[in-house]
Amino acid sequence: MFWETLLFTASVTLPVCAMLLAGIALKRFQFIDDHFVTTASRLVFNFCMPALLFTSIINLDMASVLDFRMVIYAVIASIVTFLTARILAAQACTSSADYGAFIQGAARANLAIVGMALAGNIYGSHGIALMSLALAFLVPLYNVLSVFVLAYYASDKNDVPFSWKKLIIDLTKNPLIASIVVGFCFVSLGLQLPAVAEKVSLYFAQITLPLALISIGGSLSMDVLRKTSKSAVWATLHKVCLMPVMTVLVAWLLGLRGIDLGIIFLIFACPTAAASFVMTKAMGGGGRQTCC
């Protein structure tokens, strides 16, 4: 039983780790460089990941996978984790200007890349469908909350008033949110893509995970890890220890079982979203030591 569990765990996690290590090796031996990583990350964020979310939603059989208990719990628990991260930020950060980066790093999960890959490895197509359903609600929520905290505390840092108008503009420009909205519009209106457009969208979706994982591996820096700040350590402990334990325990007490409970674990145990660093820097948040 022990060896079967160990082998199953390895079969789930090793493919993801192998792609990350491939990114590190390719960068080390100069097959890829920082320019490639930057360009690939932009491609994933602006085209591939939106295509993945869009195709997942339009092909989602709502009747077979919809579980309002799981979705509602995931949404509420995600909001709570942002609140607990804010409380912890007051203890871990030396300046309120770093709160936005800390909160995002401590609460935002990499669902579209690592979460989707792990859900597929563990539960197959049904796991991908359930994770896609969760993504449809959590990706907009994560982006709204992340943009809000970054904009709010960046206004403190830059000594400018917080602007709701700028926040709304930032949200409407987010390609992940746009792809989800368009996907649900297609589903609700009963529309279908032309065959050529659907195949092109599928091509973009299929390269999302490998390209994103290689890019993440290529962006990892051992020097930065050795210089990790206290705030980054606390954010990491909140993200990979406190969140999974508390959310899964409460979900179990509320009666969630089986694949629903497994998806809840994956949602809150996933590492911080790769896009969080890019978003933090773009919106004037803290540096690498606070958000990664």
Side-chain angles (χ1 to χ4, degrees):
M1 184 66 179
F2 171 78
W3 290 110
E4 289 179 1
T5 303
L6 184 62
L7 289 174
F8 176 73
T9 303
S11 70
V12 170
T13 57
L14 283 182
V16 175
C17 294
M19 294 302 293
L20 292 174
L21 291 174
I24 295 174
L26 290 171
K27 175 74 177 297
R28 182 177 181 83
F29 292 105
Q30 299 182 346
F31 285 98
I32 62 175
D33 55 15
D34 290 334
H35 178 68
F36 172 87
V37 171
T38 300
T39 303
S41 298
R42 291 177 59 195
L43 178 63
V44 168
F45 184 73
N46 289 289
F47 295 100
C48 299
M49 198 178 297
L52 175 63
L53 293 173
F54 176 75
T55 54
S56 296
I57 290 171
I58 64 174
N59 293 316
L60 192 63
D61 184 359
M62 292 291 185
S64 65
V65 301
L66 188 58
D67 186 337
F68 281 109
R69 290 190 309 156
M70 189 270 285
V71 172
I72 292 172
Y73 175 76
V75 169
I76 294 174
S78 296
I79 295 172
V80 171
T81 58
F82 270 79
L83 294 175
T84 58
R86 168 61 183 86
I87 294 172
L88 188 59
Q91 308 300 319
C93 297
T94 56
S95 169
S96 63
D98 293 331
Y99 282 12
F102 179 92
I103 295 167
Q104 187 184 213
R108 185 178 182 181
N110 195 335
L111 301 181
I113 299 173
V114 178
M116 193 74 79
L118 292 176
N121 288 346
I122 298 173
Y123 300 114
S125 59
H126 190 54
I128 292 178
L130 278 175
M131 184 59 78
S132 298
L133 179 64
L135 279 170
F137 292 90
L138 295 181
V139 167
L141 176 66
Y142 283 161
N143 280 274
V144 168
L145 293 176
S146 296
V147 170
F148 173 77
V149 297
L150 288 171
Y152 186 85
Y153 291 110
S155 66
D156 284 350
K157 178 180 179 179
N158 300 323
D159 198 27
V160 294
F162 174 73
S163 171
W164 284 102
K165 180 180 178 181
K166 184 178 183 301
L167 173 63
I168 294 173
I169 292 174
D170 288 337
L171 292 175
T172 56
K173 289 181 178 179
N174 190 295
L176 304 183
I177 295 177
S179 65
I180 290 170
V181 172
V182 173
F184 273 115
C185 287
F186 264 71
V187 172
S188 60
L189 296 175
L191 302 177
Q192 278 197 324
L193 281 177
V196 174
E198 185 174 2
K199 184 159 289 189
V200 171
S201 180
L202 184 60
Y203 284 160
F204 272 107
Q206 288 173 338
I207 66 173
T208 302
L209 298 181
L211 185 59
L213 291 172
I214 288 175
S215 299
I216 293 172
S219 66
L220 292 178
S221 171
M222 297 299 107
D223 291 335
V224 171
L225 290 177
R226 284 191 287 268
K227 299 174 183 178
T228 298
S229 65
K230 182 184 76 171
S231 60
V233 172
W234 280 110
T236 302
L237 290 174
H238 180 272
K239 183 72 197 67
V240 301
C241 296
L242 178 62
M243 283 175 55
V245 171
M246 294 304 298
T247 54
V248 170
L249 177 60
V250 174
W252 183 82
L253 291 174
L254 291 175
L256 292 178
R257 299 290 187 272
I259 187 171
D260 287 341
L261 189 61
I263 294 296
I264 289 295
F265 171 76
L266 291 178
I267 288 172
F268 294 100
C270 279
T272 301
S276 63
F277 176 69
V278 176
M279 184 181 289
T280 299
K281 296 299 288 183
M283 297 186 64
R288 184 184 296 267
Q289 73 274 14
T290 57
C291 65
C292 294

